[in-house]
Amino acid sequence: MNYAIETSNLSKQYGKVHAVDNVHLRVKTGEIYGFLGLNGAGKTTTIRALLGMIRPSGGNVKVLGQALGPGGRGPWAQVGHLVESPAAYSELSVRENLDVARRLHGIQNPKVVDEVIEQLTLGSYADRKAGTLSSGNFQRLGLARALLHKPELLLLDEPANGLDPAGVIEIRELLKSLVQQKGVTVFMSSHILTEVDRLATRIGIIHKGQLIEELDTDRLEKMRSKYLEIQARDLESAFASLQNAGYKAVMKDGALLIEDARAIEHPDEIARILVQVGTPPTRLAVEQQNLEEHFMQLTGGAK
Amino acid sequence: MTSFRAAVWAEALKMRRSMVPFFTAVGFSMAPLAGGLFMVILKDPEAARAMGLISAKAQVLVGVADWPAYFSFLTQAVAAGGGILFSIITIWVFGREFSDRTIKELLALPTTRETIVTAKFFVIMVWALVLTLFIFGIGLGVASLVSIPGWSAGLVQAAFTKIMGAALLTLPLMPFVALLSSAGRGYLPPFGWTIFTLVLANIAAILGWGDWFPWAIPGLFSGAAGPGTDVLGLHSYVILFLTGLTGLAATYWWWLNADQAK
């Protein structure tokens, strides 16, 4: 199996604080790995360790099959990154900032700058000083720098930060197309759960420095599945009549839940059955399990 | 294009686009202009007094109105002012990466961190020497304009060597400023360090230990202790060299090994 990212027992300790604690990550080539966690959970510390910006207190890091060496050595010509909020030289224009990055990446062809400007729709701001950009365009500049050298692996910390809703969709589509068409691997951290849910093929949840759960594609699909939630005054009777009608229902938290596609597509049919047996529904709603609920349960974030 | 050339290009672009070259050039050009003013005062004390200028102070600072005195003043100004202005350049080149948080864009690149640090030191050195050449040129112009006696081609050559020497001896003090700009993650710690070492250099020179104290050596080389007082020995230059080397090693080590968690 080819892994774009491999960590074994990755740990980082600051004094008595375990910022990252024995994190074991395996990110496959070509997948979009969503890295979720509350503020201070260890997301950025992990990303910095993956980029050789901090030295782990313990464990190993391999990026694109290469162990990170001393002095921050790594396969950086194939890795694009955006760590926390983007930064740029405010006195340089967008184009100049990208030209600096191009040269430091050792890319001879100056056209890559124009290409990435177009890709990130920064054309009208190309000659504007970075210091005068809006936060959304500043974020685009950061993403442009991450994509400039056509990397195999993208490490993105909160990539949707500062973008307007149209920008969020645009970047989502861009990342999807990079993965689908170019086989790029994306490792993105976020606390915008809906965004991660829409994009990621696998999700890792980090809490208090520990990777507490990984959700694979099947689990995510299941989590994204819809169900019909029914409430009635006589729940037992409603349950029995639905069973008799051939619907598999489960009772949970004072409601009946049905995952059957027929019920989800035709809730009116369920209502008709219940009315016929004299237990009309008091509530009938198509619901979807979501990552947010799951995340909150795991991390206690709602408390 | 080698990665070093790329890194130098990037540093030079950042320098060109900033206001710092302009301000350091303006700041440093005060030295030859002030020297010229002192020459005017000393040449005609009566006229200067009539204009409200005090000639006694100028006499203490410069001595007499001639080319040797003018160059002596300029050399001392380069040694004293250079310590501060070169520090400002160094603080800006290194400290701005931390202050603007652009450091994280320099750490995971095919261009290695040591190449970037070397390019930064190279740009600082070129910038400082160009600035010194610039004020030497202005100095020649100003002194010619105020038409003072004592010019000779030999004197100009000797003054050029002395002024450039004072600037070159100031450069080994910069790596520690770079280290503090990096480890201190911004402008204030290295600026505090510059002031601190300036004060210590004066104290060391007054106590007569200046030849052993690296931060006092450029000033003593420039003749700040008075005419004919050459107190520097080989040990002074060795200490200065070792100070520069230690600062360089510490700066490289820090860039290569310190956690960049901010």
Side-chain angles (χ1 to χ4, degrees):
Chain A
M1 176 67 73
N2 281 337
Y3 292 111
I5 296 171
E6 282 180 81
T7 72
S8 305
N9 302 319
L10 174 65
S11 298
K12 182 65 191 176
Q13 214 172 327
Y14 294 105
K16 287 181 181 172
V17 179
H18 292 270
V20 174
D21 193 5
N22 284 314
V23 169
H24 187 78
L25 272 174
R26 292 284 184 275
V27 179
K28 290 176 221 154
T29 304
E31 75 177 350
I32 305 180
Y33 191 98
F35 198 46
L36 290 178
L38 299 171
N39 289 337
K43 302 188 295 289
T44 302
T45 305
T46 305
I47 288 185
R48 284 185 183 268
L50 295 177
L51 287 164
M53 292 182 185
I54 57 170
R55 291 208 294 182
S57 313
N60 301 304
V61 177
K62 267 189 182 179
V63 174
L64 297 174
Q66 188 180 326
L68 301 190
R73 295 281 198 277
W76 309 132
Q78 286 86 45
V79 178
H81 69 267
L82 177 68
V83 182
E84 286 183 304
S85 52
Y89 299 107
S90 54
E91 72 278 13
L92 303 189
S93 69
V94 167
R95 191 186 300 281
E96 285 171 335
N97 266 290
L98 293 170
D99 211 28
V100 166
R102 171 183 75 80
R103 286 169 190 259
L104 294 178
H105 270 286
I107 301 169
Q108 304 283 343
N109 183 7
K111 283 186 183 165
V112 295
V113 170
D114 294 321
E115 284 167 18
V116 82
I117 283 174
E118 197 179 326
Q119 196 175 22
L120 271 299
T121 53
L122 279 165
S124 2
Y125 307 96
D127 297 313
R128 283 256 297 264
K129 283 189 177 179
T132 65
L133 295 176
S134 65
S135 59
N137 284 325
F138 208 69
Q139 183 77 2
R140 281 171 189 270
L141 173 57
L143 286 163
R145 191 167 35 212
L147 297 171
L148 175 83
H149 51 295
K150 300 179 174 57
E152 291 172 32
L153 170 65
L154 277 169
L155 296 168
L156 305 174
D157 197 3
E158 308 285 357
N161 259 4
L163 296 174
D164 58 28
V168 171
I169 295 167
E170 190 190 326
I171 298 305
R172 187 196 308 149
E173 294 308 314
L174 175 64
L175 293 177
K176 268 186 189 169
S177 77
L178 285 172
V179 172
Q180 285 161 6
Q181 289 165 25
K182 314 264 172 164
V184 171
T185 308
V186 178
F187 181 89
M188 56 179 275
S189 85
S190 183
H191 50 241
I192 306 174
L193 301 180
T194 48
E195 199 44 43
V196 174
D197 195 19
R198 280 185 181 145
L199 197 57
T201 47
R202 207 146 65 89
I203 285 174
I205 297 174
I206 187 168
H207 187 56
K208 293 183 178 170
Q210 294 184 322
L211 188 67
I212 53 173
E213 190 172 69
E214 279 192 308
L215 303 166
D216 60 14
T217 315
D218 290 345
R219 182 80 194 279
L220 280 170
E221 279 306 315
K222 201 171 177 197
M223 192 167 279
R224 285 166 188 148
S225 65
K226 291 177 180 174
Y227 59 89
L228 184 70
E229 185 179 309
I230 305 148
Q231 286 179 349
R233 296 198 197 286
D234 186 352
L235 214 56
E236 295 289 338
S237 165
F239 178 78
S241 51
L242 287 170
Q243 291 284 89
N244 289 339
Y247 290 99
K248 216 174 174 182
V250 287
M251 227 183 286
K252 193 181 172 190
D253 299 333
L256 294 175
L257 311 181
I258 304 176
E259 287 186 0
D260 192 320
R262 288 177 301 150
I264 292 160
E265 282 160 25
H266 300 289
D268 51 321
E269 176 61 20
I270 301 293
R272 192 187 60 76
I273 294 167
L274 294 175
V275 168
Q276 267 183 357
V277 296
T279 51
T282 54
R283 183 171 185 273
L284 201 59
V286 177
E287 299 281 3
Q288 187 173 16
Q289 266 193 2
N290 65 45
L291 186 60
E292 193 173 79
E293 283 169 20
H294 184 72
F295 177 78
M296 291 303 187
Q297 273 172 11
L298 273 177
T299 61
K303 285 173 193 169
Chain B
M1 184 195 295
T2 65
S3 56
F4 178 68
R5 274 178 60 191
V8 168
W9 182 91
E11 292 304 321
L13 178 69
K14 288 184 244 174
M15 181 195 79
R16 286 205 327 264
R17 289 283 182 272
S18 76
M19 295 296 281
V20 184
F22 172 75
F23 284 122
T24 48
V26 168
F28 223 14
S29 62
M30 289 300 123
L33 293 174
L37 180 67
F38 291 147
M39 292 298 127
V40 170
I41 294 168
L42 290 172
K43 262 178 68 183
D44 194 347
E46 287 307 315
R49 204 168 294 129
M51 289 164 68
L53 303 171
I54 304 161
S55 65
K57 184 73 176 168
Q59 209 159 10
V60 169
L61 280 169
V62 186
V64 291
D66 60 10
W67 278 91
Y70 181 78
F71 278 137
S72 169
F73 172 79
L74 207 54
T75 313
Q76 288 173 46
V78 166
I84 295 173
L85 279 172
F86 297 174
S87 286
I88 289 173
I89 294 169
T90 309
I91 290 167
W92 187 80
V93 168
F94 278 91
R96 69 87 42 94
E97 305 290 1
F98 298 90
S99 182
D100 296 349
R101 294 176 298 108
T102 43
I103 177 68
K104 61 192 178 201
E105 311 301 339
L106 299 176
L107 298 173
L109 288 170
T111 300
T112 61
R113 298 178 191 182
E114 48 269 51
T115 305
I116 287 168
V117 173
T118 308
K120 283 183 178 294
F121 278 124
F122 179 76
V123 166
I124 291 165
M125 187 183 72
V126 170
W127 188 347
L129 294 179
V130 166
L131 215 52
T132 312
L133 279 173
F134 170 71
I135 70 145
F136 183 74
I138 292 184
L140 282 179
V142 168
S144 302
L145 274 175
V146 296
S147 60
I148 43 177
W151 187 91
S152 75
L155 175 75
V156 172
Q157 203 178 344
F160 178 77
T161 311
K162 195 85 174 165
I163 286 174
M164 293 311 287
L168 282 170
L169 291 180
T170 308
L171 287 174
L173 305 175
M174 295 306 114
F176 269 106
V177 178
L179 174 66
L180 279 158
S181 305
S182 308
R185 298 183 181 279
Y187 302 128
L188 280 180
F191 196 70
W193 170 260
T194 303
I195 303 296
F196 176 66
T197 51
L198 196 70
V199 172
L200 281 188
N202 275 295
I203 294 170
I206 290 165
L207 294 175
W209 303 332
D211 55 324
W212 290 96
F213 189 65
W215 286 269
I217 290 168
L220 292 174
F221 174 85
S222 73
T229 52
D230 193 4
V231 294
L232 300 180
L234 179 64
H235 65 281
S236 312
Y237 299 106
V238 170
I239 284 171
L240 194 58
F241 176 74
L242 290 177
T243 303
L245 211 59
T246 310
L248 278 177
T251 308
Y252 279 103
W253 182 92
W254 194 89
W255 271 69
L256 289 176
N257 296 299
D259 281 344
Q260 304 292 347
K262 285 180 185 169

